[in-house]
mmCIF file of all heavy atoms in Angstrom:
data_model
loop_
_atom_site.group_PDB
_atom_site.id
_atom_site.type_symbol
_atom_site.label_atom_id
_atom_site.label_comp_id
_atom_site.label_asym_id
_atom_site.label_seq_id
_atom_site.Cartn_x
_atom_site.Cartn_y
_atom_site.Cartn_z
ATOM 1 N N THR A 60 5.427 41.508 137.101
ATOM 2 C CA THR A 60 4.239 42.001 137.796
ATOM 3 C C THR A 60 4.005 43.463 137.428
ATOM 4 O O THR A 60 4.967 44.237 137.367
ATOM 5 C CB THR A 60 4.381 41.872 139.319
ATOM 6 O OG1 THR A 60 4.641 40.492 139.656
ATOM 7 C CG2 THR A 60 3.108 42.313 140.028
ATOM 8 N N PHE A 61 2.747 43.821 137.207
ATOM 9 C CA PHE A 61 2.423 45.226 136.957
ATOM 10 C C PHE A 61 0.969 45.475 137.345
ATOM 11 O O PHE A 61 0.182 44.532 137.513
ATOM 12 C CB PHE A 61 2.673 45.621 135.484
ATOM 13 C CG PHE A 61 1.780 44.927 134.480
ATOM 14 C CD1 PHE A 61 0.591 45.510 134.055
ATOM 15 C CD2 PHE A 61 2.150 43.715 133.953
ATOM 16 C CE1 PHE A 61 -0.218 44.876 133.134
ATOM 17 C CE2 PHE A 61 1.342 43.064 133.032
ATOM 18 C CZ PHE A 61 0.175 43.652 132.610
ATOM 19 N N TRP A 62 0.641 46.745 137.522
ATOM 20 C CA TRP A 62 -0.727 47.174 137.811
ATOM 21 C C TRP A 62 -1.258 47.965 136.625
ATOM 22 O O TRP A 62 -0.508 48.717 135.987
ATOM 23 C CB TRP A 62 -0.775 48.032 139.069
ATOM 24 C CG TRP A 62 -0.458 47.299 140.333
ATOM 25 C CD1 TRP A 62 0.789 46.928 140.779
ATOM 26 C CD2 TRP A 62 -1.387 46.846 141.308
ATOM 27 N NE1 TRP A 62 0.703 46.266 141.980
ATOM 28 C CE2 TRP A 62 -0.632 46.199 142.332
ATOM 29 C CE3 TRP A 62 -2.774 46.907 141.452
ATOM 30 C CZ2 TRP A 62 -1.214 45.622 143.453
ATOM 31 C CZ3 TRP A 62 -3.352 46.337 142.571
ATOM 32 C CH2 TRP A 62 -2.587 45.706 143.557
ATOM 33 N N ALA A 63 -2.553 47.785 136.310
ATOM 34 C CA ALA A 63 -3.117 48.502 135.175
ATOM 35 C C ALA A 63 -4.587 48.780 135.406
ATOM 36 O O ALA A 63 -5.251 48.091 136.189
ATOM 37 C CB ALA A 63 -2.934 47.674 133.901
ATOM 38 N N LYS A 64 -5.080 49.807 134.720
ATOM 39 C CA LYS A 64 -6.521 50.096 134.733
ATOM 40 C C LYS A 64 -6.870 50.891 133.491
ATOM 41 O O LYS A 64 -6.096 51.732 133.034
ATOM 42 C CB LYS A 64 -6.931 50.852 135.995
ATOM 43 C CG LYS A 64 -6.432 52.288 136.073
ATOM 44 C CD LYS A 64 -7.044 53.025 137.265
ATOM 45 C CE LYS A 64 -6.618 54.479 137.325
ATOM 46 N NZ LYS A 64 -7.298 55.210 138.407
ATOM 47 N N PRO A 65 -8.047 50.625 132.903
ATOM 48 C CA PRO A 65 -8.504 51.443 131.763
ATOM 49 C C PRO A 65 -9.094 52.736 132.298
ATOM 50 O O PRO A 65 -9.494 52.839 133.450
ATOM 51 C CB PRO A 65 -9.582 50.559 131.130
ATOM 52 C CG PRO A 65 -10.151 49.781 132.272
ATOM 53 C CD PRO A 65 -8.992 49.547 133.219
ATOM 54 N N SER A 66 -9.098 53.759 131.442
ATOM 55 C CA SER A 66 -9.676 55.041 131.873
ATOM 56 C C SER A 66 -11.188 55.033 131.837
ATOM 57 O O SER A 66 -11.844 55.903 132.404
ATOM 58 C CB SER A 66 -9.155 56.178 130.981
ATOM 59 O OG SER A 66 -9.559 55.984 129.634
ATOM 60 N N SER A 67 -11.782 54.005 131.190
ATOM 61 C CA SER A 67 -13.228 53.885 131.087
ATOM 62 C C SER A 67 -13.603 52.410 130.976
ATOM 63 O O SER A 67 -12.859 51.624 130.406
ATOM 64 C CB SER A 67 -13.767 54.673 129.893
ATOM 65 O OG SER A 67 -15.130 54.357 129.636
ATOM 66 N N THR A 68 -14.774 52.043 131.490
ATOM 67 C CA THR A 68 -15.233 50.663 131.384
ATOM 68 C C THR A 68 -15.624 50.299 129.958
ATOM 69 O O THR A 68 -15.837 49.128 129.660
ATOM 70 C CB THR A 68 -16.432 50.408 132.319
ATOM 71 O OG1 THR A 68 -17.469 51.340 132.006
ATOM 72 C CG2 THR A 68 -16.031 50.571 133.777
ATOM 73 N N SER A 69 -15.710 51.293 129.089
ATOM 74 C CA SER A 69 -16.065 51.011 127.689
ATOM 75 C C SER A 69 -14.856 50.571 126.861
ATOM 76 O O SER A 69 -15.010 50.137 125.717
ATOM 77 C CB SER A 69 -16.693 52.249 127.025
ATOM 78 O OG SER A 69 -15.791 53.338 127.008
ATOM 79 N N TYR A 70 -13.666 50.685 127.448
ATOM 80 C CA TYR A 70 -12.455 50.262 126.747
ATOM 81 C C TYR A 70 -12.067 48.848 127.173
ATOM 82 O O TYR A 70 -12.222 48.493 128.346
ATOM 83 C CB TYR A 70 -11.286 51.228 127.049
ATOM 84 C CG TYR A 70 -11.546 52.656 126.645
ATOM 85 C CD1 TYR A 70 -11.121 53.703 127.465
ATOM 86 C CD2 TYR A 70 -12.205 52.964 125.477
ATOM 87 C CE1 TYR A 70 -11.357 55.030 127.110
ATOM 88 C CE2 TYR A 70 -12.445 54.268 125.117
ATOM 89 C CZ TYR A 70 -12.036 55.304 125.920
ATOM 90 O OH TYR A 70 -12.261 56.605 125.573
ATOM 91 N N ALA A 71 -11.515 48.093 126.233
ATOM 92 C CA ALA A 71 -11.107 46.717 126.523
ATOM 93 C C ALA A 71 -9.678 46.485 126.035
ATOM 94 O O ALA A 71 -9.443 45.821 125.008
ATOM 95 C CB ALA A 71 -12.053 45.713 125.877
ATOM 96 N N PRO A 72 -8.698 47.027 126.746
ATOM 97 C CA PRO A 72 -7.298 46.902 126.310
ATOM 98 C C PRO A 72 -6.812 45.453 126.331
ATOM 99 O O PRO A 72 -7.193 44.658 127.177
ATOM 100 C CB PRO A 72 -6.525 47.754 127.341
ATOM 101 C CG PRO A 72 -7.554 48.621 127.981
ATOM 102 C CD PRO A 72 -8.829 47.842 127.958
ATOM 103 N N VAL A 73 -5.911 45.139 125.401
ATOM 104 C CA VAL A 73 -5.264 43.841 125.348
ATOM 105 C C VAL A 73 -3.771 44.065 125.277
ATOM 106 O O VAL A 73 -3.277 44.835 124.425
ATOM 107 C CB VAL A 73 -5.719 43.030 124.123
ATOM 108 C CG1 VAL A 73 -4.978 41.706 124.055
ATOM 109 C CG2 VAL A 73 -7.220 42.796 124.154
ATOM 110 N N LEU A 74 -3.020 43.428 126.163
ATOM 111 C CA LEU A 74 -1.570 43.535 126.191
ATOM 112 C C LEU A 74 -0.942 42.155 125.999
ATOM 113 O O LEU A 74 -1.548 41.155 126.345
ATOM 114 C CB LEU A 74 -1.085 44.127 127.511
ATOM 115 C CG LEU A 74 -1.522 45.549 127.846
ATOM 116 C CD1 LEU A 74 -0.973 45.971 129.221
ATOM 117 C CD2 LEU A 74 -1.067 46.537 126.768
ATOM 118 N N LYS A 75 0.273 42.158 125.477
ATOM 119 C CA LYS A 75 1.055 40.940 125.367
ATOM 120 C C LYS A 75 2.333 41.116 126.190
ATOM 121 O O LYS A 75 3.004 42.149 126.095
ATOM 122 C CB LYS A 75 1.427 40.654 123.909
ATOM 123 C CG LYS A 75 0.241 40.385 123.000
ATOM 124 C CD LYS A 75 0.686 40.205 121.557
ATOM 125 C CE LYS A 75 -0.508 39.939 120.641
ATOM 126 N NZ LYS A 75 -0.081 39.793 119.225
ATOM 127 N N VAL A 76 2.629 40.107 127.020
ATOM 128 C CA VAL A 76 3.859 40.120 127.804
ATOM 129 C C VAL A 76 4.780 39.075 127.204
ATOM 130 O O VAL A 76 4.389 37.927 126.975
ATOM 131 C CB VAL A 76 3.565 39.825 129.275
ATOM 132 C CG1 VAL A 76 4.885 39.664 130.055
ATOM 133 C CG2 VAL A 76 2.722 40.919 129.896
ATOM 134 N N GLY A 77 6.038 39.476 126.955
ATOM 135 C CA GLY A 77 6.962 38.537 126.338
ATOM 136 C C GLY A 77 8.400 38.947 126.502
ATOM 137 O O GLY A 77 8.747 39.758 127.351
ATOM 138 N N ALA A 78 9.257 38.375 125.663
ATOM 139 C CA ALA A 78 10.704 38.620 125.724
ATOM 140 C C ALA A 78 11.214 39.012 124.347
ATOM 141 O O ALA A 78 10.626 38.662 123.321
ATOM 142 C CB ALA A 78 11.431 37.368 126.223
ATOM 143 N N MET A 79 12.322 39.772 124.361
ATOM 144 C CA MET A 79 12.913 40.249 123.108
ATOM 145 C C MET A 79 14.421 39.997 123.123
ATOM 146 O O MET A 79 15.050 39.964 124.176
ATOM 147 C CB MET A 79 12.646 41.737 122.910
ATOM 148 C CG MET A 79 11.192 42.099 122.801
ATOM 149 S SD MET A 79 10.917 43.885 122.656
ATOM 150 C CE MET A 79 11.666 44.233 121.062
ATOM 151 N N GLN A 80 14.961 39.874 121.922
ATOM 152 C CA GLN A 80 16.396 39.726 121.768
ATOM 153 C C GLN A 80 17.109 41.064 121.924
ATOM 154 O O GLN A 80 18.205 41.153 122.489
ATOM 155 C CB GLN A 80 16.706 39.125 120.405
ATOM 156 C CG GLN A 80 18.122 38.642 120.193
ATOM 157 C CD GLN A 80 18.265 37.967 118.837
ATOM 158 O OE1 GLN A 80 17.657 38.389 117.844
ATOM 159 N NE2 GLN A 80 19.060 36.910 118.786
ATOM 160 N N HIS A 81 16.442 42.130 121.426
ATOM 161 C CA HIS A 81 17.010 43.485 121.506
ATOM 162 C C HIS A 81 15.860 44.481 121.423
ATOM 163 O O HIS A 81 14.882 44.242 120.701
ATOM 164 C CB HIS A 81 17.996 43.707 120.363
ATOM 165 C CG HIS A 81 18.815 44.937 120.529
ATOM 166 N ND1 HIS A 81 18.360 46.180 120.146
ATOM 167 C CD2 HIS A 81 20.062 45.134 121.049
ATOM 168 C CE1 HIS A 81 19.282 47.093 120.416
ATOM 169 N NE2 HIS A 81 20.316 46.486 120.972
#
Side-chain angles (χ1 to χ4, degrees):
T60 302
F61 65 93
W62 292 77
K64 69 172 183 176
S66 62
S67 168
T68 56
S69 62
Y70 301 140
V73 178
L74 298 178
K75 296 177 180 178
V76 173
M79 298 177 67
Q80 192 176 37
H81 192 276

